[in-house]
Amino acid sequence: MKYFFLTFFVLVITFGYSQKKVLQTKFTSDNITIDGKLDENVWQSTPEATDFIMSQPDNGEPIPDSKKTIVKVIYDNDAVYIAALLYDDQPDKIRKEISQRDSFGIADVFGIFINGFNDGQQDFQFFVNAADGQADCITTDSNGEDYSWDAIWKSKAIITDFGWVVEMRIPYAALRFSAEKKQTWGLNFFREIKRNRQKYTWNFIDSKIGTFTQQTGILEGIENIKPPTRLFLMPYSSFYVNANGQQKTVGTLKGGLDIKYGINDAFTLDAILVPDFGQTKYDDQILNLGPFEQQFNENRPFFTEGTDLFSKGDLVYSRRIGGRPINYPTAAENETIIDNPSSVDLINALKVSGRTKDGLGIGILNAVTKRTFATIENKATQETRREEVEPLANYNVLVLDQRFLKNSAVSFINTNVTRNGGFRDGNVSALVWDLNTMKNTYSLSGNLKYSYVNDIMDKKGVSTSLNIGETIGQYRYSLGADLVTKDFDNNDLGINFQTNYYSIYGNASYRILNPTKLFNSFRINYNIYTQFQKETGKIQGNNMNASINLDTKKNHYVGLGINISPVESYDFYEARAENRYVILPERYNAWLYISTNYNNKFAFDFNPSYSIFNETERRTYELMLGPRYRFNDKFSLNYRFQFSRRNNNKGYVDSVDEDLNKSTQQAIIFANRNVITYSNSLSGKYSISSKMNFNVAVRQYWSYAENKNFLYLKQDGRLADYANYNINKDSSFYSWNFDLSYSWWFAPGSQVSILYRNNAANFDKNINKDFGENVANLLNNEALNHTFSISVRYFIDYNSLKNKI
């Protein structure tokens, strides 16, 4: 092993990168107007960045003269300024769909990537499309692009007779850099010609190398600037009107404040006081028949913006904060629960994050939630009492992430949940590493996690993984293994479904690095995975899959593959009982995915799937169909239909005490059932401008499980007929969601948003198969919940305010 690590680090030290391009900038004292005209004299004498090179699809191909791109950068005491001339011999064909912020739409794009520390670790990326829309993100190789991050900057794009022009002003408050007198920044420029699906960069991005942020050029010439005071205040006020068939119309006025403060040149404090998340996107709820909870996406801006550090080790599931109470209320036979909150109110939250010039990233996240009660009523006396279901709770995350050699990192993460009183507390610590050779040829990654839960019975558990792989070239592979002990539990602030297992897995892939006569891209991928129950050694999961993914010369995407579970596996979770398992049969699945070129006015996605199980008449059929149409550059609609049918699916429904084999014991009851699901969704947008948009989102969902006969689980994991059970355990869940919103960015960082929302849901044990009647039962005032809200957020920049005063 010591020789392996010695060889690994010799490779790290030995390998280097190719020559980086260098651009010189110059200082200006002129007043630059961001209008896209570039008529200030300083632009005429500024050095140019030229000779762009294609990154996709034909990696390494120089940009043609007809599409030449010229970029210039100047700076003053407050900001950097960028001018880009993007030539196009067919300016009438430049794509310029209008879209909302952080959505490129079907439009040509220009971008600048800045790394103020030039450490190859994190880029601040700013994009402008040909419709004058903005997008920005923070990018790392480990976490990709985070578009939830929003900065305040100015830009203007105009179409000309030779192509189009972009002018940008990026204030220093939107960047991170050191206080050194002479600055050296990592820099790259990006251009996408949408109609050809071609992407170009100024400094070459070699697709054979499995990294992006380390292949930037250099910006030199910035001197004697100081990181500004980064203090931003965002007060807001919201008004909500709620109504439904059971209550009269109620109006609520809310107000609060978001704060962003730059502690120093690298670290930022974000805090929310009296948070309001009433206009976040609705959750796509489903009929959940399995043993695990449904995992939801995080839609609250505070918990999505700038959270790349907190994703280290995959220990944080932020929906725990303000989620469902930890306890369920207890009611006696003569009592009924009349109010059981589905969520906990958040009092406040803050996070501190940043990275030193030596590569040490520090992240702290803290949130406090309210004490929460359920209300229980006595059926005879109508007296009520309250029961505490969630105490005052504190959620905390600490991350220390040390990067080195520009492409490797070792991280320590700790999550802690402390609840007041005798409620459960949880603490998890992890060591995570991601080591790469200097040319990113090979990687060695893994983690070691330890959990401690303080409850009625203390629990301590361990989870660890190790993965090694080749990450460069046409042929790539990886091998890995996991081990999770029975009592590992990170579910107080994270989410984890399976424990008490070890697994081994591998991957091999082949890809073309440049287009051929038939394909713009082509990749073959093969994976194998086997999981064993730790105590018995029984196979808990097994899968082999192979897939082909390609882009045609007309930019249509096609994917197809097979998934095989070639041997029986032992499911230790579906039975909902300690040390009991059900044997799952072999499974064979095939799928196809087609996505036509979104540049076309009409495009569609098509995804059928078919599964066969080694069990009588057990089959699964799935279909997704998603047509979309762009009427013009302002208006578009996307529709998606999803259908699945699981014939003769086997699943848990109940546990009862019965005489089995001449002895009284608990019988675990399964159902042989058909599970059918329909889902229809529609989304659309109408953009008056890049700053003013209407959006609509509609989702109808219906899923039911119809039980055909009942079975009991034998001790050997097999299922046998059980005729003594006649309780109705059918399930039918249908829901409706409708959002109509208007958004207006009336000033930089300042927004007015108006939302009308209605929704309804119903769960029933009696299945009504009349689709129209089910929908009609939801679309009436007795079933629908109505919400109308107006929210105003205003952005206050301390520096601008100081200058004005």
Side-chain angles (χ1 to χ4, degrees):
M1 182 62 70
K2 68 179 181 180
Y3 293 113
F4 170 79
F5 280 105
L6 178 61
T7 303
F8 182 83
F9 283 106
V10 168
L11 291 171
V12 167
I13 294 171
T14 302
F15 291 146
Y17 277 118
S18 59
Q19 185 69 36
K20 292 175 176 285
K21 289 183 177 180
V22 179
L23 177 66
Q24 294 290 329
T25 183
K26 61 186 297 184
F27 179 82
T28 182
S29 57
D30 294 350
N31 182 29
I32 307 298
T33 302
I34 306 302
D35 55 10
K37 297 179 180 179
L38 310 182
D39 51 7
E40 292 85 3
N41 291 330
V42 67
W43 289 122
Q44 310 309 314
S45 58
T46 301
E48 300 176 347
T50 58
D51 301 325
F52 278 52
I53 303 171
M54 188 182 295
S55 60
Q56 293 179 7
D58 198 356
N59 190 242
E61 184 73 14
I63 195 168
D65 289 339
S66 61
K67 304 294 190 302
K68 72 176 180 178
T69 305
I70 300 172
V71 187
K72 304 178 181 183
V73 178
I74 58 177
Y75 74 100
D76 61 18
N77 291 323
D78 300 310
V80 291
Y81 300 83
I82 299 93
L85 291 83
L86 304 121
Y87 287 81
D88 195 314
D89 57 340
Q90 296 177 303
D92 57 317
K93 293 186 178 181
I94 294 174
R95 304 290 188 180
K96 51 184 185 301
E97 181 187 13
I98 303 171
S99 56
Q100 61 188 12
R101 186 185 175 98
D102 288 337
S103 175
F104 295 114
I106 306 300
D108 282 27
V109 175
F110 170 78
I112 178 172
F113 308 158
I114 297 175
N115 183 329
F117 294 99
N118 191 32
D119 59 3
Q121 300 294 325
Q122 179 174 266
D123 287 346
F124 289 77
Q125 302 187 352
F126 304 86
F127 301 92
V128 181
N129 68 19
D132 199 29
Q134 287 187 350
D136 45 25
C137 69
I138 295 176
T139 297
T140 62
D141 282 337
S142 57
N143 295 97
E145 298 171 331
D146 176 13
Y147 283 96
S148 64
W149 177 79
D150 287 323
I152 307 303
W153 48 287
K154 293 182 180 180
S155 63
K156 183 63 180 178
I158 58 174
I159 304 294
T160 69
D161 57 356
F162 65 82
W164 61 298
V165 175
V166 174
E167 191 170 16
M168 305 165 69
R169 179 186 186 273
I170 303 175
Y172 297 138
L175 302 171
R176 305 292 182 270
F177 54 90
S178 71
E180 296 178 359
K181 179 180 179 180
K182 186 175 182 179
Q183 300 282 327
T184 301
W185 291 0
L187 177 75
N188 215 343
F189 303 111
F190 170 86
R191 180 182 181 182
E192 181 177 11
I193 302 173
K194 195 68 176 181
R195 67 180 181 274
N196 299 327
R197 303 287 282 269
Q198 294 173 340
K199 298 179 181 180
Y200 296 88
T201 58
W202 170 60
N203 200 77
F204 177 45
I205 303 296
D206 190 344
S207 63
K208 294 191 296 295
I209 300 174
T211 179
F212 184 87
T213 59
Q214 296 161 49
Q215 300 191 66
T216 59
I218 301 294
L219 179 67
E220 294 181 343
I222 296 180
E223 298 181 355
N224 302 315
I225 64 171
K226 296 181 179 180
T229 300
R230 292 183 288 117
L231 175 59
F232 310 119
L233 305 176
M234 284 156 281
Y236 70 85
S237 180
S238 303
F239 181 70
Y240 293 85
V241 177
N242 296 281
N244 59 40
Q246 286 71 47
Q247 70 174 36
K248 63 180 181 180
T249 302
V250 177
T252 306
L253 182 64
K254 296 182 179 180
L257 178 68
D258 293 357
I259 300 172
K260 291 182 183 290
Y261 174 64
I263 300 172
N264 57 24
D265 60 341
F267 290 90
T268 302
L269 166 70
D270 292 87
I272 49 174
L273 308 176
V274 194
D276 175 24
F277 302 122
Q279 291 192 340
T280 54
K281 184 184 180 298
Y282 56 79
D283 290 324
D284 292 340
Q285 291 185 309
I286 64 171
L287 175 64
N288 185 6
L289 300 172
F292 307 119
E293 64 182 299
Q294 182 183 352
Q295 184 172 356
F296 295 106
N297 295 328
E298 178 60 87
N299 299 316
R300 298 170 295 180
F302 177 84
F303 294 105
T304 59
E305 180 182 329
T307 56
D308 61 302
L309 274 174
F310 303 107
S311 65
K312 298 287 182 180
D314 197 24
L315 290 181
V316 177
Y317 175 48
S318 57
R319 290 295 296 263
R320 296 286 187 219
I321 304 173
R324 187 174 295 278
I326 189 171
N327 280 359
Y328 191 83
T330 55
E333 291 185 1
N334 64 336
E335 292 180 321
T336 183
I337 301 169
I338 61 174
D339 181 30
N340 185 29
S342 60
S343 61
V344 177
D345 288 338
L346 182 65
I347 298 175
N348 55 51
L350 66 85
K351 58 188 176 192
V352 177
S353 60
R355 190 174 297 277
T356 70
K357 64 179 181 180
D358 296 321
L360 177 61
I362 302 174
I364 299 172
L365 171 66
N366 187 268
V368 180
T369 57
K370 283 184 179 180
R371 194 180 182 194
T372 305
F373 295 86
T375 304
I376 302 169
E377 183 182 68
N378 187 292
K379 297 177 182 178
T381 65
Q382 280 73 55
E383 292 180 351
T384 61
R385 63 179 179 89
R386 297 202 308 164
E387 181 176 321
E388 187 176 23
V389 290
E390 178 77 29
L392 183 72
N394 181 275
Y395 297 80
N396 193 77
V397 183
L398 169 66
V399 181
L400 302 175
D401 177 54
Q402 180 63 60
R403 292 175 177 168
F404 54 94
L405 298 175
K406 290 193 173 184
N407 66 349
S408 298
V410 175
S411 309
F412 171 79
I413 307 100
N414 177 264
T415 67
N416 184 80
V417 179
T418 303
R419 296 182 175 89
N420 194 34
F423 286 77
R424 162 183 166 136
D425 300 328
N427 186 286
V428 183
S429 295
L431 184 67
V432 179
W433 58 91
D434 182 13
L435 309 176
N436 298 272
T437 56
M438 187 64 78
K439 293 187 72 172
N440 288 284
T441 307
Y442 298 97
S443 70
L444 177 69
S445 60
N447 61 68
L448 176 62
K449 306 173 184 178
Y450 172 79
S451 69
Y452 171 69
V453 175
N454 181 9
D455 204 353
I456 299 172
M457 294 285 291
D458 290 353
K459 289 199 306 180
K460 301 174 183 178
V462 173
S463 171
T464 185
S465 68
L466 186 67
N467 185 282
I468 186 170
E470 183 179 6
T471 57
I472 193 171
Q474 287 182 301
Y475 296 92
R476 304 183 190 186
Y477 69 88
S478 66
L479 297 171
D482 298 332
L483 170 65
V484 184
T485 63
K486 184 177 182 179
D487 288 334
F488 178 76
D489 188 349
N490 66 334
N491 285 300
D492 290 275
L493 190 45
I495 187 166
N496 184 57
F497 295 142
Q498 295 186 341
T499 61
N500 200 30
Y501 70 87
Y502 59 92
S503 63
I504 54 175
Y505 46 88
N507 165 270
S509 65
Y510 166 81
R511 73 205 64 202
I512 62 172
L513 301 177
N514 293 91
T516 66
K517 293 181 179 180
L518 297 176
F519 308 117
N520 280 336
S521 68
F522 182 87
R523 177 175 175 174
I524 300 174
N525 198 66
Y526 174 76
N527 297 282
I528 184 169
Y529 177 86
T530 305
Q531 183 184 110
F532 301 89
Q533 209 264 355
K534 191 171 73 68
E535 295 172 350
T536 64
K538 294 182 182 295
I539 294 178
Q540 213 170 240
N542 66 100
N543 179 264
M544 295 188 300
N545 66 74
S547 62
I548 297 174
N549 299 277
L550 60 92
D551 282 297
T552 70
K553 300 300 288 186
K554 292 187 177 181
N555 294 306
H556 303 306
Y557 171 82
V558 178
L560 65 155
I562 57 173
N563 294 281
I564 300 172
S565 298
V567 297
E568 291 181 331
S569 57
Y570 296 76
D571 186 340
F572 282 80
Y573 303 95
E574 182 63 30
R576 328 287 167 99
E578 188 79 11
N579 298 322
R580 296 296 303 275
Y581 56 82
V582 60
I583 296 177
L584 303 180
E586 302 91 332
R587 180 178 67 92
Y588 308 91
N589 165 268
W591 59 271
L592 171 70
Y593 189 92
I594 297 173
S595 180
T596 62
N597 189 347
Y598 287 1
N599 279 336
N600 301 328
K601 281 184 173 292
F602 174 76
F604 67 88
D605 299 323
F606 177 64
N607 179 205
S609 173
Y610 178 62
S611 298
I612 300 175
F613 297 80
N614 187 19
E615 199 172 85
T616 304
E617 296 184 351
R618 185 168 179 179
R619 304 286 187 269
T620 296
Y621 312 84
E622 295 179 311
L623 173 67
M624 185 279 290
L625 180 63
R628 56 179 59 217
Y629 191 78
R630 190 175 69 256
F631 295 86
N632 51 46
D633 285 338
K634 294 185 176 183
F635 179 43
S636 64
L637 288 174
N638 302 332
Y639 169 73
R640 174 164 292 201
F641 169 74
Q642 291 177 284
F643 169 78
S644 73
R645 182 183 181 95
R646 291 182 283 167
N647 286 346
N648 295 297
N649 170 263
K650 309 296 190 297
Y652 170 91
V653 293
D654 203 356
S655 297
V656 296
D657 291 328
E658 284 287 347
D659 288 331
L660 294 173
N661 298 325
K662 299 182 180 180
S663 65
T664 301
Q665 55 185 277
Q666 188 178 63
I668 299 175
I669 309 302
F670 276 59
N672 179 36
R673 62 200 180 190
N674 292 339
V675 183
I676 294 91
T677 302
Y678 302 88
S679 176
N680 294 276
S681 60
L682 178 70
S683 63
K685 64 93 182 174
Y686 181 82
S687 298
I688 299 173
S689 70
S690 60
K691 297 179 176 62
M692 191 177 297
N693 302 273
F694 289 91
N695 288 278
V696 63
V698 183
R699 178 178 182 261
Q700 172 276 325
Y701 174 89
W702 178 33
S703 182
Y704 65 88
E706 187 174 24
N707 299 320
K708 301 165 68 175
N709 59 284
F710 294 102
L711 312 161
Y712 78 92
L713 180 64
K714 298 194 296 184
Q715 291 296 326
D716 63 359
R718 304 290 179 181
L719 297 171
D721 288 334
Y722 188 68
N724 297 334
Y725 191 86
N726 56 13
I727 300 174
N728 180 12
K729 287 292 182 176
D730 290 348
S731 302
S732 179
F733 175 73
Y734 39 99
S735 65
W736 166 269
N737 296 92
F738 175 87
D739 279 10
L740 177 63
S741 63
Y742 166 78
S743 176
W744 174 34
W745 294 89
F746 62 91
S750 302
Q751 182 185 27
V752 173
S753 55
I754 301 174
L755 170 68
Y756 168 70
R757 167 176 292 169
N758 65 49
N759 61 78
N762 185 61
F763 176 83
D764 202 333
K765 291 186 177 181
N766 297 311
I767 299 173
N768 179 359
K769 295 184 180 180
D770 189 324
F771 181 86
E773 186 176 337
N774 285 329
V775 174
N777 287 338
L778 291 180
L779 299 183
N780 62 74
N781 284 331
E782 292 300 315
L784 284 170
N785 300 296
H786 301 271
T787 300
F788 178 80
S789 60
I790 301 175
S791 180
V792 180
R793 295 178 179 269
Y794 191 76
F795 176 83
I796 301 173
D797 181 356
Y798 165 80
N799 297 293
S800 299
L801 187 62
K802 180 183 68 173
N803 292 337
K804 290 179 181 178
I805 294 175

